[in-house]
Amino acid sequence: MARQTAIRAAVPAVALVLVAAACGGGDDDASTSGGDGAGTIRVANTSPTQPGFVPAKFGVITYGEDFGLDMTIDNFTTFDSHAVATQTVLSGRADVVAGSLVSNLLLNEQGQDFKLFCPYIAQDDFVIAGANGISTVEDLFDPNTRVALDSPGGAGDVILNAMLQALGQEQTAADIPGIQILESSGLRTTAFASGDVDATVIHDYQYYDAAEQATDPVIIASLFEEVPDFVKEAHAAPAAWLEENAELAANYCAAVLMGMRELSADYDAFVGAVEEFADVEEMPDDETLRALHTSAVDYGFWPGEDGGLSEESVTFMAEVGVKSGLLEEVPEYEDVVAVDVLERALELVEEQS
């Protein structure tokens, strides 16, 4: 019951942040384009860049100039939450937020006219990990099972709900009695390895690190195997900004898509991108990176060919949000996706190829 209350409380909290942000002043140093579409975009990332997330930055830095962009790594700012990153955009200190697709849908539902226009990462290497005799989805709902998860609406929470839905479970994360809130996957990994929790949602490579210490570890389910329509994160911006900067946004997205295509095709380039752009204290070993790259290619982590924001995928994610108690209803596709910008980006990529 407390978990359900927390979910309901999360929505008004976001609304208050958005109201405060909307009252913020603009930034006189805003960097956007001229009429030819060339220029700079200021991107607010909602979390540190994990190895699987590097194609976007790689694409913009590597191919941005080909599409008339003038951008460096300094144009990307990392925040510790979606709410803070969104506030930065709403106050005029950034142009685009790169983060949770469901959280971006929530922005729209709360009256902020944001639209998705470019993928960031579709699938991810998250798994439900169990230990200490916890080996099935049903075990998660045992009152004695200690389950580490982030707050309602966080990446782990949404991913767990998507997997539960795909596996035919009527219950959601809100119904798990033994939830322990640990916001980062790193904290959850540490708790899982030390035996402080019995199950959690973490990255595949984090599981294998923790499995060396955990008791009877097992992967209960993998996101990319169970939920093919999942879209974890995307780029979004205010609809008014997209209308005024449609060609700039398309050029930016085209560079992102080029990065996704390049890293899908070239493992060595992927390793180099991880070394340059991933926010990790220690570089993952070759075996881990090869496994991640193989999964990314096989399961469509980086949708550089089609853009990834199909009506089916966005609708599925909205349905997950509704079932999780984060959204009230599934929005109309055209109301939350700038289809024209994404289609133009795909055209630009084909012209460049």
Side-chain angles (χ1 to χ4, degrees), residues 278-304:
D279 298 320
V280 292
E281 293 183 4
E282 184 176 341
M283 184 73 176
D285 61 32
D286 183 68
E287 182 180 1
T288 298
L289 288 178
R290 284 190 182 278
L292 173 57
H293 187 263
T294 298
S295 296
V297 173
D298 290 349
Y299 293 98
F301 286 26
W302 309 321

Side-chain angles (χ1 to χ4, degrees), residues 211-328:
E212 296 179 3
Q213 303 177 49
T215 302
D216 298 328
V218 62
I219 291 178
I220 297 172
S222 299
L223 176 67
F224 52 82
E225 292 179 335
E226 303 294 347
V227 195
D229 290 327
F230 196 86
V231 181
K232 185 174 187 286
E233 300 195 6
H235 294 83
W241 184 89
L242 285 170
E243 184 174 351
E244 294 174 4
N245 299 278
E247 190 68 7
L248 173 61
N251 283 331
Y252 173 87
C253 188
V256 170
L257 297 175
M258 285 288 287
M260 290 179 171
R261 293 186 181 193
E262 171 77 9
L263 296 192
S264 293
D266 189 335
Y267 172 72
D268 290 336
F270 168 63
V271 173
V274 173
E275 291 175 340
E276 184 172 359
F277 299 114
D279 298 320
V280 292
E281 293 183 4
E282 184 176 341
M283 184 73 176
D285 61 32
D286 183 68
E287 182 180 1
T288 298
L289 288 178
R290 284 190 182 278
L292 173 57
H293 187 263
T294 298
S295 296
V297 173
D298 290 349
Y299 293 98
F301 286 26
W302 309 321
E305 298 299 324
D306 63 5
L309 299 177
S310 68
E311 184 169 359
E312 292 78 11
S313 293
V314 173
T315 299
F316 171 81
M317 293 305 300
E319 290 171 347
V320 171
V322 171
K323 190 170 182 179
S324 303
L326 301 172
L327 299 175
E328 293 183 5

Side-chain angles (χ1 to χ4, degrees), residues 105-248:
L105 296 182
L106 178 58
L107 285 174
N108 194 281
E109 188 171 88
Q110 291 295 325
Q112 299 295 333
D113 193 8
F114 270 59
K115 284 193 172 184
L116 310 166
F117 72 94
C118 189
Y120 186 52
I121 185 169
Q123 282 289 348
D124 200 357
D125 62 338
F126 269 95
V127 299
I128 302 175
N132 306 318
I134 304 305
S135 59
T136 69
V137 168
E138 289 74 18
D139 290 339
L140 301 179
F141 298 94
D142 186 312
N144 295 316
T145 302
R146 302 163 300 170
V147 181
L149 199 62
D150 51 4
S151 296
D157 180 76
V158 172
I159 285 168
L160 178 56
N161 279 315
M163 284 195 275
L164 292 174
Q165 180 175 322
L167 292 167
Q169 286 288 324
E170 291 298 323
Q171 294 172 299
T172 70
D175 300 308
I176 296 175
I179 288 287
Q180 297 184 16
I181 300 297
L182 293 175
E183 295 294 0
S184 75
S185 62
L187 290 174
R188 298 195 296 273
T189 300
T190 299
F192 181 74
S194 64
D196 291 335
V197 298
D198 307 306
T200 189
V201 176
I202 52 179
H203 289 281
D204 181 272
Y205 71 90
Q206 292 174 322
Y207 165 80
Y208 285 109
D209 285 343
E212 296 179 3
Q213 303 177 49
T215 302
D216 298 328
V218 62
I219 291 178
I220 297 172
S222 299
L223 176 67
F224 52 82
E225 292 179 335
E226 303 294 347
V227 195
D229 290 327
F230 196 86
V231 181
K232 185 174 187 286
E233 300 195 6
H235 294 83
W241 184 89
L242 285 170
E243 184 174 351
E244 294 174 4
N245 299 278
E247 190 68 7
L248 173 61

Side-chain angles (χ1 to χ4, degrees), residues 35-58:
D36 60 358
T40 300
I41 288 180
R42 300 162 302 161
V43 181
N45 289 101
T46 61
S47 62
T49 302
Q50 295 294 327
F53 290 60
V54 297
K57 288 181 179 178
F58 168 81

